[in-house]
Amino acid sequence: METLLFSIQNHIAQITINRPHKANALDTKSWEELELIFEQINDDDTIRVVIVSGGDSKHFCAGIDLSLLMSITQNTISCEGKRREKLRKQILELQTPINAIENCTKPVLVAIHGGCIGAGVDLICAADMRYCTNNAYFMIKEIDMGMVADLGTLQRLPKLIHPSIARELAFTGRAVSGIEAQQVGLVNKAFESREELDKYVWEIATQIASKSPVAIRGTKHILNYSLEHSTKDSLEYMATWNAAMLLSNDLQEAFLAQTQKRSAKFED
């Protein structure tokens, strides 16, 4: 990996955006590596939870690297229809790594410090849980660039916070502090320092990693499914899911552990 750092410890995968010289702005390589790394995570049964952070950079993510943005806009195809067709394809390709975060079978936590701007907001909205420092800030910067945010913020943010607040942020592009982000529900919790942030996120990840992998993966799948379907349809689907998945070794181990008053040990 050129733009990301990746490690696994105690069933927890840690992904660190590693472009501090560019304030962790995401270039073409970053998008390729994000998609690749989440494909690998899905295929690795030893991984039970994922943490994404901004590492040593001043910012969690400053958005899309301008070099990538310029390469998209400088389309030299003479045919107007083909040029627009290629642009649409490029946008869909950029959406794919963000979708991969949402569709990851393992819970994804993000630890945010400094600026989380533009594509950074797209990224965190696709995660399962968000945590930040008090002095972090969030901006839907696309509006100030004469653009409509096109990688998922406008689709996911209104499901995370009140729709009218999401609209305010999208229309104005104003910065939201970590403290306000907690107040409006964009993040689960805000912390005074990065040390406190990292410690808490690791503790939450460790707690998740101690649970049944089958149950955790199923819970995420059902939660995502229920966002897009009615309660009736979701309950029907839930019944079918558990008819297939309920009678697992994890269920037996959980019962035995409780009976024997010990911690459960689940297979990968």
Side-chain angles (χ1 to χ4, degrees):
M1 295 290 173
E2 296 178 17
T3 67
L4 303 174
L5 300 178
F6 180 65
S7 64
I8 305 171
Q9 182 181 355
N10 298 331
H11 299 292
I12 301 170
Q14 295 190 78
I15 300 172
T16 304
I17 306 172
N18 188 38
R19 301 192 78 225
H21 59 294
K22 291 287 188 179
N24 279 353
L26 303 172
D27 64 356
T28 302
K29 195 66 177 177
S30 306
W31 292 108
E32 292 173 356
E33 292 183 349
L34 265 177
E35 183 177 0
L36 176 63
I37 210 163
F38 274 97
E39 287 177 356
Q40 293 175 347
I41 287 169
N42 273 343
D43 292 336
D44 191 338
D45 289 338
T46 66
I47 297 172
R48 299 181 183 179
V49 60
V50 184
I51 298 174
V52 181
S53 65
D56 295 331
S57 174
K58 181 180 179 181
H59 300 294
F60 171 78
C61 178
I64 287 183
D65 190 287
L66 289 180
S67 64
L68 173 55
L69 193 57
M70 291 302 294
S71 70
I72 292 174
T73 57
Q74 292 175 349
N75 190 324
T76 58
I77 298 174
S78 59
C79 172
E80 184 70 16
K82 290 180 180 178
R83 185 160 64 246
R84 302 298 177 183
E85 183 180 43
K86 182 178 180 181
L87 180 57
R88 180 178 183 274
K89 181 182 178 182
Q90 288 174 314
I91 294 169
L92 289 172
E93 288 173 349
L94 289 175
Q95 291 174 355
T96 301
I98 304 297
N99 294 340
I101 296 172
E102 181 176 63
N103 296 328
C104 179
T105 56
K106 292 83 184 274
V108 180
L109 291 66
V110 286
I112 305 149
H113 73 280
C116 181
I117 302 164
V121 179
D122 294 309
L123 189 159
I124 69 162
C125 285
D128 294 281
M129 288 161 281
R130 291 153 291 279
Y131 305 88
C132 72
T133 56
N134 287 342
N135 60 4
Y137 63 94
F138 305 80
M139 295 178 69
I140 304 175
K141 190 67 175 173
E142 288 87 345
I143 197 68
D144 292 331
M145 301 174 67
M147 295 173 53
V148 178
D150 55 4
L151 302 184
T153 291
L154 301 184
Q155 291 70 36
R156 295 184 175 100
L157 187 61
K159 297 175 182 177
L160 300 175
I161 65 176
H162 195 286
S164 65
I165 300 295
R167 287 171 184 256
E168 177 188 324
L169 303 183
F171 292 150
T172 66
R174 74 173 179 85
V176 175
S177 71
I179 295 173
E180 183 182 357
Q182 179 177 330
Q183 291 171 343
V184 301
L186 176 57
V187 300
N188 295 50
K189 194 173 179 65
F191 299 86
E192 285 286 344
S193 68
R194 283 199 65 184
E195 291 75 19
E196 291 176 287
L197 166 68
D198 293 340
K199 181 175 182 290
Y200 187 86
V201 172
W202 183 262
E203 288 173 352
I204 292 293
T206 300
Q207 192 173 354
I208 294 170
S210 71
K211 309 297 183 183
S212 157
V214 173
I216 288 290
R217 291 194 296 267
T219 297
K220 175 165 182 176
H221 182 81
I222 294 299
L223 285 169
N224 284 349
Y225 182 92
S226 299
L227 282 174
E228 306 294 340
H229 297 81
S230 69
T231 300
K232 180 179 181 298
D233 289 345
S234 297
L235 287 170
E236 291 270 2
Y237 186 75
M238 182 72 254
T240 303
W241 179 275
N242 260 0
M245 302 293 187
L246 182 63
L247 302 179
S248 67
N249 289 347
D250 284 8
L251 180 69
Q252 183 178 7
E253 169 62 11
F255 280 142
L256 283 174
Q258 289 189 34
T259 301
Q260 298 170 2
K261 298 182 179 180
R262 60 172 174 83
S263 297
K265 295 181 179 180
F266 300 106
E267 301 172 358
D268 291 333

